[in-house]
């Protein structure tokens, strides 16, 4: 029998492949449609927890229309910044859907950063006012960056960013980098309230905490707002969840599972799963004034459809190291 080989893609290799954000948004939009039509396989993610507020999750999924199957093994450790390490780390394995043989092992930091921003953009496509021009970003780290990059693509009229972070240095670095990257007017604000009030779009991307101390009140939210709490329910108060006209999530089952673990205690009824909206079985935004929160928990389908495109582009461009299995 012939010796099988798989392609190893380091963090630098994945970054060199440089899949454009536009392609990732498009891939995720298609993946959500497939999910809404019941054409993907994705069991809820199991996890282990070795430190308070930390997780290591297994995220398997198959998306047949993309020829994508595999599993991401990803960790999130909120205290890592003290050791100058990223919050999110991990590896992703892609398998050949016809033989099960591993095709590739790749670092998943870049993929997680980009696909989460792209998932916010897909949600915004269906749930935000497309002529939105002001965004509040709370948490100016990796996700604060990729969410803004993706939203700028889907909302061309976006012009003003109000950036808040508990670290002044993080906010300054964000403003400088994202001003240069996006050309947007980025103002640093000193309180969460200033970032939220009068914003058309809100992204919260601080740490996910099991016992959060949320700040955002319902009456801070402008009619018509679209909010993406990338950090789950760490920032939004009960009044905000209850007052919004629609609460959407990327996966109903996963959201209810998190609720059973103690997260999302104050969400109102789940209006829809993003896949149902993308596939057209439920309407998204129905008028300009609806306040809508879409909590994307991060799905393995997001990772697999991004990873297969990275793998194919890496093969075409001779990026990575072939290893014997
Ligand atoms: N939903 C998903 O699919 C998904 C995917 C990846 C990451 N995440 C979550 O996104 C969050 C951000 O991840 P990241 O990789 O950008 O981390 P990061 O460490 O790069 O950035 C976090 C930023 O938040 C700031 N911060 C901390 N506490 C804050 C507070 N109370 N208010 C405002 N800012 C605060 C930090 O100073 C830092 O700049 C994490 O909670 C992570 O678990 C979610």
């Amino acid at each position: 029998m012939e010796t099988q080989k798989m392609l190893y893609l380091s963090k630098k290799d994945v970054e060199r492949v440089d899949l454009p954000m536009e392609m990732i948004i498009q891939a995720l939009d298609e993946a959500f449609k497939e999910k809404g039509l019941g054409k993907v396989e994705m069991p809820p993610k199991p996890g282990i927890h070795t430190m308070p507020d930390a997780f290591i999750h297994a995220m398997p999924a198959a998306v047949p229309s993309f020829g994508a199957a595999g599993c991401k093994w990803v960790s999130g450790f909120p205290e890592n910044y003290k050791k100058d390490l990223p919050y999110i780390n991990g590896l992703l394995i892609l398998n050949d859907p016809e033989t099960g043989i591993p095709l590739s092992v790749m670092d998943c930091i870049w993929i997680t950063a980009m696909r989460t921003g792209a998932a916010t953009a897909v949600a915004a496509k269906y749930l935000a006012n497309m002529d939105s021009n002001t965004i509040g970003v709370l948490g100016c780290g990796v996700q604060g960056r990729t969410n803004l990059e993706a939203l700028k693509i889907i909302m061309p009229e976006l012009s003003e960013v109000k950036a808040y972070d508990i670290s002044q240095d993080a906010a300054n670095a964000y403003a400088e980098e994202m001003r240069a990257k996006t050309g947007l007017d980025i103002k640093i604000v000193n309180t969460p309230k200033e970032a939220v009030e009068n914003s058309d779009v809100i992204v919260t991307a601080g740490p996910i905490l099991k016992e959060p101390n949320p700040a955002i009140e319902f009456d801070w939210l402008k009619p018509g707002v679209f909010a993406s709490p990338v950090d789950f329910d760490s920032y939004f108060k009960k009044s905000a969840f209850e007052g919004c006209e629609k609460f959407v999530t990327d996966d109903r089952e996963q959201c209810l599972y998190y609720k059973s673990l103690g997260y999302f205690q104050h969400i109102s009824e789940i209006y829809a799963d993003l896949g149902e909206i993308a596939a057209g079985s439920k309407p998204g935004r129905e008028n300009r004034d609806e306040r809508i929160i879409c909590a994307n928990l991060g799905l393995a389908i997001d990772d697999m459809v991004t990873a297969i495109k990275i793998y194919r582009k890496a093969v075409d461009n001779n990026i990575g190291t072939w290893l014997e299995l």
Side-chain angles (χ1 to χ4, degrees):
M1 229 179 278
E2 203 187 321
T3 309
Q4 300 294 325
K5 289 191 173 170
M6 61 144 201
L7 185 62
Y8 174 69
L9 296 170
S10 67
K11 181 168 178 283
K12 278 201 179 120
D13 292 334
V14 174
E15 286 169 0
R16 261 180 71 210
V17 172
D18 198 22
L19 198 66
M21 181 60 101
E22 288 85 344
M23 282 180 77
I24 304 175
I25 296 172
Q26 200 186 2
L28 262 65
D29 196 4
E30 284 171 40
F32 276 109
K33 290 191 176 103
E34 293 290 287
K35 181 179 191 296
L37 296 170
K39 293 183 175 171
V40 306
E41 185 181 359
M42 189 186 62
K45 46 187 167 189
I48 54 175
H49 306 89
T50 57
M51 300 274 286
D53 286 321
F55 64 82
I56 313 177
H57 282 156
M59 301 177 64
V63 187
S65 61
F66 280 76
C71 183
K72 185 169 84 165
W73 182 233
V74 63
S75 60
F77 279 61
E79 300 290 312
N80 270 9
Y81 73 93
K82 293 180 185 160
K83 298 176 185 163
D84 202 22
L85 293 171
Y87 190 126
I88 298 287
N89 293 280
L91 291 172
L92 185 150
I93 304 175
L94 272 181
N95 297 77
D96 183 326
E98 285 172 16
T99 62
I101 292 175
L103 294 173
S104 179
V105 171
M106 62 182 82
D107 186 272
C108 76
I109 294 180
W110 189 92
I111 295 172
T112 306
M114 296 294 278
R115 66 70 149 150
T116 309
T120 295
V122 172
K125 176 180 162 189
Y126 298 106
L127 299 170
N129 284 315
M130 275 305 115
D131 56 356
S132 293
N133 48 45
T134 306
I135 175 170
V137 176
L138 295 87
C140 297
V142 172
Q143 289 299 331
R145 286 168 167 77
T146 54
N147 274 259
L148 183 61
E149 181 186 347
L151 285 165
K152 168 88 174 18
I153 291 168
I154 209 95
M155 294 174 162
E157 290 180 40
L158 216 54
S159 57
E160 186 190 346
V161 183
K162 289 178 281 173
Y164 170 76
D165 198 288
I166 50 163
S167 152
Q168 194 63 36
D169 288 349
N172 288 338
Y174 178 86
E176 194 179 325
E177 187 185 322
M178 296 311 287
R179 221 173 261 140
K181 190 163 190 172
T182 63
L184 295 169
D185 173 18
I186 302 190
K187 295 187 176 72
I188 297 172
V189 295
N190 296 319
T191 62
K193 191 172 185 191
E194 289 171 83
V196 170
E197 275 186 336
N198 294 315
S199 289
D200 303 309
V201 178
I202 297 161
V203 172
T204 60
I208 294 176
L209 303 171
K210 199 154 191 181
E211 289 176 18
N213 183 17
I216 300 176
E217 312 264 7
F218 174 66
D219 62 11
W220 298 5
L221 299 172
K222 182 179 174 182
V225 74
F226 164 74
S228 176
V230 177
D231 52 10
F232 292 13
D233 56 345
S234 296
Y235 245 116
F236 288 81
K237 284 198 165 179
K238 187 168 188 260
S239 67
F241 280 115
E242 287 177 353
C244 283
E245 279 77 9
K246 284 181 177 145
F247 175 76
V248 177
T249 178
D250 53 359
D251 190 72
R252 188 185 291 268
E253 229 184 307
Q254 189 72 47
C255 189
L256 294 175
Y257 172 68
Y258 274 124
K259 197 171 177 189
S260 76
L261 297 181
Y263 299 95
F264 293 114
Q265 293 305 297
H266 302 302
I267 54 172
S268 41
E269 187 195 342
I270 299 173
Y271 163 72
D273 187 305
L274 188 52
E276 293 172 300
I277 296 174
S281 57
K282 280 211 171 161
R285 173 171 290 277
E286 291 173 279
N287 65 61
R288 284 195 64 77
D289 288 339
E290 279 182 310
R291 280 164 281 231
I292 303 180
I293 299 180
C294 179
N296 287 329
L297 311 167
L299 302 185
I301 57 168
D302 308 348
D303 297 305
M304 294 314 136
V305 299
T306 307
I308 193 75
K309 286 188 179 289
I310 289 173
Y311 168 72
R312 288 181 185 142
K313 195 170 170 204
V315 172
D316 288 348
N317 292 284
N318 287 318
I319 294 173
T321 308
W322 289 97
L323 299 174
E324 275 189 14
L325 283 173

